[in-house]
Amino acid sequence: MAASEENSALFPIFILTLMALPLVPYTIVQLCHAVTRKATNINCQCSVCFRSGKYRKSIFKRISNFSTYSNLTLVLLWIVMAILVYYIKHISTEIQIFEPFSILGVETGASDSEIKKAYRRLSILYHPDKNPDPEAHKYFVDYISKAYQALTDPVSRENFEKYGHPDGRQGLQMGIALPQFLLNIDGASGGILLIGIVGVCIILPLTIAVIYLSRSSKYTGNFVMHQTIYAYYHFMKPSLAPSKVMDVFIKAAEYMEIPVRRTDEESLQKLFVLVRSELNLDPRNIRQEQAKFWKQHPALVKNELLIQAHLTHETVALSPSLQRDLKQMLALAPRLLEELMKMAIIPRTPQGHGWLRPAIGVVELSQSIIQAVPLSARKATGGSSEGYGPFLQLPHFTESVVKKISRKKVRMLQDLRDMKPEERAELLTQVAGFSADESRDVEIVIEMMPSISIDITCETEGEEGIQEGDIVTMQAWITLHRGNGLIGALPHAPYFPLEKEENFWLLIADSMSNDVWISQKVNFVDEATAIIAATKAVQELKEGSGDSVREINAAVKAAVDRVKAGSRLVMSKFQAPAEGNYNLSSYCLCDSWIGCDAKSSIKLKVLKRSRTGTRGMVAADELPALEDGGDEVEEEDEYDDDYESEYSEDDEDVKGKEANGAVVNGSAHVRGDDDSSSDGSGSEEN
């Protein structure tokens, strides 16, 4: 009986231990992440975002945010652990140590007469002849009789007083942390034990393995279906215009699996009339174009209409089921757009270059989806090369408001951002007709909008110039500035139903040939990861240059300080092409804001491969001509804008600004800002 009681107590303790070992550290990690997310997720404070309810901290919103499967499972496991603790504490009080003096109700060291007197008194209460209760009989036999025998027998009493047990010294006893019924291998208990062993040791691991393999064969590491990757790779073309990227985007397998219901047909017909102007249908042959549109796969028709409903703010016309489908599509959109971007910049040419034009189109589509701005609003108009789309991401702005402020020569978003707050408030209140609160909302969003500056260096490590075939190291410092002083923040996106972090894409490309030489995703939210990456990159670069430990530590410290101040380091290597002068462009494209991209020019000069031992020496005919002690300035050829956005032209055509890219000793250096996207000119010297 004692062994059974011990096993009954050990089993819940064993289960409690197995649960506590992973649960306690996992809970601590989750709490730390929750505190971190609360500190870093800085969202827009304008009234439009507040009314959207996306960031509202009501009790229902907090319960909804908390009620995830992982959190509910975590709470359930803690409840089970609490029940186990209570059960263990309860059964521990029931298990009593054999104490004969206590059982008979006499003091330790009592005489034989006192023991016999107590025994007779208890016999009247519990003896089977006096009390027919089976429990009384069991207590009399298991406790009272054994206690009397242990205290009246001289040998038993001596053993109890010396060793604490009537039978004398006891050996080491081992218990098994399993219920007693499982230890009885006879009958059904043996089958239960066998089933438990087979289930835990064989069936459970096989089930987990099958689920993992089936999921891994269907999805990539970014939780995107392989079928989607194949479709994006197949339909991506080098000359894909931004307006045509939508046709590729909606072909994702995740979207194709969303059911098309017969009950949705009427709502989709009404929606088609509302968004028909955004579908790029030829107005000269509108009937055939409409018929051709509806002959597409029903899922493609539904996907495009739902996305266009989001861009044009026509979601009110959707049925509840279609609104749920749209929310599901928007939840998948950032992940799918990132994969679509990767398919645009994946190496396609023999030189390992991607395609620039579709990459710009993917980013522009991402910007429009996050900000819920129609693609047609980004087409160039008579007064603005970027259209009125960038203004529509500001709260309370409409097309009529844009027309009003354009009369005051505010035709581009940067014109509005460059104004002083007092001038901007006066413009919005007196010209646009905004109230003071609405003007304050616009000011909040403008202060959140990022401004990007780029500092790029391309050089061959340990060498003065870049020769064909050299491994060139590109080092780019991308710095983000906001009017409110924040670095990492969530964008103003009241119509996008989910939280979305800002991401930036750095592209080094040749706009003439449509080739992307270097591409890198940049994030300003995760500062810790950026510090680790910058430290490692700078340390490896300095060690490769043969710098001392002190110089390496100083460079690492400077890089860490720069990251904390709002910069991110991007480093990459590429093989220098054939001899010649290359007019490259650096693009820093934001996937969440419209009109916050940065573009600058880079002039890269690649020298002819010299013979061994003559590297660094330049022939006389390659030296630039000098006049009056100054460097000859070579005017850069105009870029072909065919590969820029079809909705906007270069900013320098409107503002007349220029960003200069200099080639010094074969190394290309460039610094650009978000609104100085110009071709510029460069100086060369050897």
Side-chain angles (χ1 to χ4, degrees):
M1 178 179 179
S4 175
E5 291 176 346
E6 291 176 359
N7 289 333
S8 299
L10 287 175
F11 181 67
I13 294 175
F14 176 69
I15 296 298
L16 180 65
T17 304
L18 289 181
M19 292 180 60
L21 285 176
L23 189 60
V24 172
Y26 178 76
T27 304
I28 294 174
V29 171
Q30 289 294 99
L31 291 175
C32 293
H33 285 175
V35 173
T36 304
R37 285 195 297 267
K38 184 177 180 181
T40 56
N41 285 354
I42 310 290
N43 56 274
C44 180
Q45 301 298 322
C46 73
S47 62
V48 180
C49 288
F50 180 79
R51 287 196 300 268
S52 68
K54 184 164 58 172
Y55 306 112
R56 192 176 300 165
K57 298 300 180 182
S58 63
I59 184 64
F60 300 103
K61 187 69 175 179
R62 293 181 181 182
I63 293 175
S64 177
N65 291 338
F66 177 79
S67 301
T68 60
Y69 289 112
S70 60
N71 290 340
L72 293 178
T73 303
L74 194 64
V75 172
L76 180 62
L77 291 176
W78 275 107
I79 293 175
V80 173
M81 284 186 60
I83 295 174
L84 286 175
V85 171
Y86 175 79
Y87 176 74
I88 292 170
K89 183 179 180 181
H90 180 67
I91 63 174
S92 298
T93 57
E94 292 182 348
I95 299 175
Q96 300 178 357
I97 301 175
F98 183 72
E99 292 285 351
F101 292 104
S102 176
I103 293 172
L104 297 178
V106 297
E107 296 181 357
T108 304
S111 61
D112 292 343
S113 60
E114 293 175 342
I115 294 173
K116 292 178 181 179
K117 184 179 179 180
Y119 177 71
R120 286 194 296 270
R121 184 178 69 253
L122 294 175
S123 298
I124 295 174
L125 298 174
Y126 296 100
H127 195 278
D129 296 339
K130 304 293 184 180
N131 191 340
D133 188 2
E135 292 294 331
H137 181 204
K138 182 178 181 180
Y139 181 75
F140 181 80
V141 174
D142 293 341
Y143 289 93
I144 297 175
S145 296
K146 290 183 178 181
Y148 178 73
Q149 182 181 2
L151 296 180
T152 55
D153 184 67
V155 178
S156 298
R157 182 165 183 172
E158 182 180 2
N159 289 335
F160 178 76
E161 292 176 350
K162 287 184 178 181
Y163 307 109
H165 197 278
D167 296 332
R169 188 189 299 274
Q170 300 296 304
L172 179 65
Q173 295 183 355
M174 302 291 290
I176 301 176
L178 289 175
Q180 183 64 25
F181 74 92
L182 289 179
L183 299 177
N184 183 14
I185 61 175
D186 298 332
S189 299
I192 295 175
L193 182 61
L194 179 61
I195 292 174
I197 294 174
V198 172
V200 173
C201 299
I202 300 177
I203 297 179
L204 182 61
L206 285 177
T207 303
I208 296 175
V210 169
I211 294 175
Y212 173 77
L213 292 176
S214 61
R215 185 173 181 83
S216 61
S217 63
K218 190 176 181 180
Y219 290 90
T220 64
N222 198 24
F223 300 102
V224 176
M225 297 177 66
H226 288 289
Q227 188 176 352
T228 300
I229 303 299
Y230 299 150
Y232 283 175
Y233 185 87
H234 174 72
F235 290 107
M236 184 63 63
K237 303 299 179 183
S239 58
L240 194 66
S243 59
K244 300 297 182 182
V245 174
M246 174 76 77
D247 298 336
V248 180
F249 170 68
I250 61 176
K251 289 182 172 65
E254 288 85 348
Y255 289 166
M256 301 298 290
E257 289 185 350
I258 297 177
V260 181
R261 313 172 191 87
R262 291 186 178 180
T263 55
D264 298 336
E265 184 176 353
E266 183 178 356
S267 297
L268 292 177
Q269 290 282 356
K270 295 179 180 179
L271 182 60
F272 174 79
V273 177
L274 297 175
V275 302
R276 180 169 52 188
S277 59
E278 298 290 331
L279 298 177
N280 293 324
L281 303 180
D282 188 359
R284 296 171 298 181
N285 197 8
I286 190 64
R287 291 187 177 180
Q288 293 184 2
E289 289 288 316
Q290 291 181 4
K292 182 179 179 181
F293 177 81
W294 287 104
K295 286 182 180 179
Q296 297 181 99
H297 192 284
L300 294 178
V301 173
K302 177 181 177 179
N303 295 340
E304 185 167 2
L305 290 178
L306 289 181
I307 293 295
Q308 294 293 353
H310 168 69
L311 298 180
T312 56
H313 303 177
E314 298 290 351
T315 55
V316 180
L318 301 179
S319 63
S321 59
L322 287 178
Q323 289 183 354
R324 289 192 297 269
D325 294 340
L326 176 59
K327 188 173 182 180
Q328 180 181 354
M329 293 180 66
L330 295 178
L332 294 171
R335 196 185 310 160
L336 297 177
L337 287 167
E338 182 176 345
E339 291 300 322
L340 187 59
M341 181 69 172
K342 293 178 181 178
M343 291 301 102
I345 59 180
I346 194 172
R348 301 272 191 164
T349 65
Q351 295 78 19
H353 298 158
W355 295 328
L356 175 62
R357 192 179 189 190
I360 294 177
V362 172
V363 175
E364 290 188 350
L365 178 60
S366 176
Q367 296 170 353
S368 296
I369 290 178
I370 300 302
Q371 295 296 337
V373 173
L375 294 175
S376 61
R378 306 186 64 172
K379 293 181 179 179
T381 60
S384 173
S385 61
E386 59 185 15
Y388 62 91
F391 288 101
L392 297 183
Q393 63 190 334
L394 299 176
H396 316 298
F397 264 75
T398 61
E399 185 178 358
S400 61
V401 172
V402 177
K403 291 180 179 179
K404 290 179 181 179
I405 64 175
S406 64
R407 301 189 186 104
K408 298 297 181 178
K409 297 183 179 180
V410 181
R411 298 184 178 91
M412 300 181 67
L413 178 62
Q414 193 60 37
D415 297 337
L416 187 65
R417 295 181 65 184
D418 290 339
M419 299 176 67
K420 295 181 179 180
E422 299 80 9
E423 298 176 351
R424 190 159 46 234
E426 182 180 358
L427 174 71
L428 295 178
T429 53
Q430 296 184 6
V431 178
F434 283 6
S435 65
D437 292 337
E438 292 174 340
S439 177
R440 191 179 305 110
D441 289 338
V442 175
E443 192 66 29
I444 291 174
V445 175
I446 288 180
E447 288 182 351
M448 286 196 65
M449 299 183 72
S451 297
I452 300 297
S453 60
I454 312 174
D455 185 6
I456 298 181
T457 302
C458 297
E459 59 185 3
T460 303
E461 296 181 11
E463 303 293 345
E464 294 184 355
I466 298 178
Q467 296 185 3
E468 52 185 2
D470 284 351
I471 301 300
V472 182
T473 301
M474 186 278 297
Q475 176 177 298
W477 280 101
I478 304 174
T479 305
L480 182 145
H481 305 277
R482 299 184 199 271
N484 56 13
L486 298 176
I487 298 175
L490 298 178
H492 165 81
Y495 300 102
F496 193 77
L498 305 171
E499 293 186 1
K500 170 68 172 66
E501 292 183 355
E502 298 172 348
N503 289 309
F504 296 82
W505 286 92
L506 176 65
L507 305 179
I508 308 297
D510 186 347
S511 58
M512 297 289 293
S513 61
N514 194 33
D515 291 338
V516 176
W517 291 29
I518 298 174
S519 60
Q520 182 67 48
K521 182 181 176 182
V522 184
N523 184 278
F524 285 88
V525 176
D526 193 354
E527 182 181 279
T529 302
I531 290 176
I532 295 174
T535 300
K536 182 179 179 181
V538 171
Q539 187 172 2
E540 291 179 353
L541 181 63
K542 293 298 182 181
E543 288 177 352
S545 302
D547 293 350
S548 63
V549 176
R550 179 178 297 180
E551 293 173 337
I552 293 175
N553 293 336
V556 169
K557 183 179 182 303
V560 171
D561 294 340
R562 198 165 180 178
V563 170
K564 292 181 178 179
S567 297
R568 295 294 182 265
L569 176 62
V570 177
M571 295 191 66
S572 182
K573 296 180 182 294
F574 63 94
Q575 188 174 14
E579 175 191 9
N581 295 322
Y582 294 87
N583 297 324
L584 305 180
S585 298
S586 64
Y587 300 83
C588 189
L589 308 176
C590 180
D591 69 345
S592 303
W593 293 93
I594 303 175
C596 295
D597 303 328
K599 177 188 173 184
S600 299
S601 61
I602 305 175
K603 293 193 67 176
L604 184 67
K605 182 175 183 179
V606 180
L607 304 176
K608 186 177 181 180
R609 169 63 62 182
S610 60
R611 292 177 297 176
T612 304
T614 62
R615 183 181 181 85
M617 300 178 61
V618 184
D621 56 353
E622 294 182 353
L623 290 174
L626 303 179
E627 296 181 2
D628 297 332
D631 296 341
E632 179 184 4
V633 178
E634 178 183 349
E635 293 296 329
E636 184 179 328
D637 295 333
E638 293 294 331
Y639 287 119
D640 185 358
D641 291 333
D642 290 342
Y643 298 104
E644 301 301 326
S645 168
E646 66 181 49
Y647 305 122
S648 62
E649 299 175 359
D650 291 341
D651 292 345
E652 70 274 15
D653 295 335
V654 179
K655 295 188 175 183
K657 296 183 179 179
E658 293 186 348
N660 296 330
V663 180
V664 182
N665 292 331
S667 302
H669 304 266
V670 61
R671 181 186 298 271
D673 297 326
D674 57 330
D675 296 299
S676 59
S677 54
S678 61
D679 297 331
S681 60
S683 60
E684 299 177 4
E685 61 177 271
N686 291 309

